[in-house]
Amino acid sequence: TGGFGGFGGFGMPVFEYAGDIRPGSQTPQRIVTEPGIVLPDYAKDGRPKAKELPWGKVEVKTAEEIEKMRAAGRAAREVLDIAGRAVQVGVTTDEIDALVHEETLKRGGYPSPLNYRGFPKSCCTSVNEVICHGIPDDRRLKEGDIINVDITCFLDGYHGDCSEMFVAGECDDDAKDLLQTTYDCWVKSMNIVKPGVDYKEIGGIIEDHIVPRGFSTVRRFCGHGIGSVFHTNPNIYHYKITENLGKMAPGHIFTIEPMICEGSAEPLMWPDDWTATTIDGERSAQFEHTLLVTSDGVEALTGKIETSPLQFWEKESEVHKGYWLGTSANAVARATEMTEKALS
């Protein structure tokens, strides 16, 4: 297990890392000054200003808000796909972050993570045992590394949030099993989203899929409501709970983003107060969409587009083969058409 142990030469405690990943050097934090780009309220001082909603209250988005979130989600998807194509052996996570920053600005957006509660970069890059909130730096990706790239774009006053796994080169069979299991439990949990379903049901679907396969789900971090505010109600738990969290309704928008681990799901926080790794150094994987509850199911506002790659876990899934864009009639029709084109 990692954490603080022993003491260095000047009486300072020595931090014990759990796995092989170590923090590298970071380039200076960027500041967005481009004219015409709407900034979130925390961009300058790092402090979100929005008041928290009362417990149990979930915003019902208007038609206008949904369209703005659809645009933010599309921008986030485009940027995530570009970042994913950059994942190669020898590339640094800082180079990926620079690309994310540039491509977000090109779309008229602000990279939501930048200076959110002081976060120093424009995206999160979480490699191997890093569960979430990895800070891009000068470490070069190695053959077989698995990496989650987490993108959020703030466009015209609204956030679109998504993340996906990528592989540098070829990964081992155990990593493939982790990626497939994480993807499948995520899709299973999204498939139940529709009006009238209890929010607490999501976590049970995830645990029931992964535990028999020998994996664990992180409890320290959760999914969240999203809109003009980056993180809001409801909290989305990726493990079984009995607490009443209310029911889904058309116009609710939130993320599902399970973090699944090979070993222990207990996180180890690095001294940077952001990076969370597994406590035993085993690997972790995560996927995330921003989801809209519709009258007939759910739509991924950050769903893949015609140019998005179809990954092995999508091709080989026993839960849903091909692109998953939601369960609404429109989403199913688009996904079917895109999958047929991709596989033809």
Side-chain angles (χ1 to χ4, degrees):
T1 60
F4 283 100
F7 285 85
F10 296 96
M12 296 294 292
V14 176
F15 187 81
E16 296 180 3
Y17 294 92
D20 295 330
I21 302 295
R22 298 288 184 275
S25 298
Q26 297 174 26
T27 51
Q29 183 170 324
R30 295 178 176 85
I31 299 173
V32 175
T33 58
E34 283 75 2
I37 291 180
V38 177
L39 303 180
D41 61 10
Y42 54 81
K44 293 182 180 179
D45 63 9
R47 296 196 300 270
K49 313 297 188 302
K51 292 182 180 179
E52 291 186 9
L53 292 173
W55 187 91
K57 179 176 176 59
V58 179
E59 263 188 351
V60 175
K61 302 294 195 293
T62 66
E64 181 182 359
E65 287 177 310
I66 289 170
E67 287 311 304
K68 288 186 175 184
M69 291 209 64
R70 201 183 299 281
R74 168 76 183 219
R77 163 52 54 188
E78 291 177 359
V79 173
L80 180 57
D81 286 354
I82 291 167
R85 292 187 194 103
V87 171
Q88 297 179 22
V89 174
V91 171
T92 69
T93 50
D94 187 68
E95 288 169 340
I96 294 171
D97 178 76
L99 183 62
V100 165
H101 188 87
E102 177 186 355
E103 292 295 335
T104 302
L105 296 187
K106 274 185 187 177
R107 287 159 177 78
Y110 178 95
S112 303
L114 183 61
N115 210 29
Y116 178 76
R117 301 190 187 278
F119 189 81
K121 292 293 176 179
S122 297
C123 67
C124 300
T125 51
S126 302
V127 180
N128 295 342
E129 71 266 22
V130 180
I131 295 170
C132 60
H133 304 154
I135 300 175
D137 59 26
D138 66 350
R139 180 190 180 275
R140 297 189 181 279
L141 294 174
K142 298 177 181 179
E143 180 71 27
D145 280 348
I146 62 172
I147 177 174
N148 176 274
V149 182
D150 193 337
I151 302 293
T152 312
C153 292
F154 185 71
L155 182 65
D156 197 17
Y158 288 83
H159 299 272
D161 190 0
C162 53
S163 83
E164 190 172 340
M165 297 302 297
F166 302 96
V167 180
E170 291 291 327
C171 62
D172 59 51
D173 288 344
D174 285 344
K176 289 179 180 178
D177 191 20
L178 171 64
L179 294 170
Q180 191 69 64
T181 300
T182 305
Y183 178 78
D184 286 346
C185 80
W186 178 56
V187 172
K188 267 190 175 181
S189 71
M190 294 189 294
N191 275 336
I192 72 163
V193 174
K194 63 181 179 181
V197 172
D198 286 319
Y199 277 105
K200 67 181 180 182
E201 301 299 325
I202 292 169
I205 297 290
I206 290 167
E207 272 206 300
D208 285 346
H209 185 82
I210 67 158
V211 171
R213 291 166 171 80
F215 297 97
S216 62
T217 178
V218 173
R219 293 169 175 252
R220 185 77 67 87
F221 305 102
C222 62
H224 52 90
I226 187 170
S228 59
V229 177
F230 197 170
H231 298 102
T232 185
N233 294 349
N235 286 339
I236 305 297
Y237 299 100
H238 306 117
Y239 56 92
K240 289 181 181 178
I241 61 170
T242 57
E243 183 181 359
N244 179 23
L245 299 174
K247 296 182 184 293
M248 303 171 193
H252 286 187
I253 298 180
F254 56 92
T255 70
I256 299 179
E257 45 183 301
M259 290 144 273
I260 307 303
C261 304
E262 291 179 313
S264 171
E266 184 65 27
L268 171 69
M269 294 302 302
W270 279 8
D272 62 27
D273 288 332
W274 280 108
T275 308
T277 76
T278 58
I279 203 164
D280 55 10
E282 296 294 307
R283 292 171 294 193
S284 181
Q286 179 186 26
F287 293 88
E288 176 184 14
H289 270 321
T290 294
L291 301 167
L292 165 68
V293 182
T294 64
S295 60
D296 61 342
V298 62
E299 177 187 347
L301 297 180
T302 49
K304 289 196 166 183
I305 55 180
E306 293 78 5
T307 54
S308 299
L310 197 60
Q311 305 281 20
F312 77 76
W313 45 83
E314 294 166 309
K315 296 176 183 177
E316 299 173 15
S317 175
E318 294 182 2
V319 174
H320 179 90
K321 282 187 168 56
Y323 295 107
W324 188 95
L325 302 179
T327 63
S328 68
N330 285 340
V332 170
R334 283 190 291 116
T336 301
E337 181 181 358
M338 282 172 51
T339 300
E340 287 175 354
K341 285 183 179 178
L343 297 178
S344 62

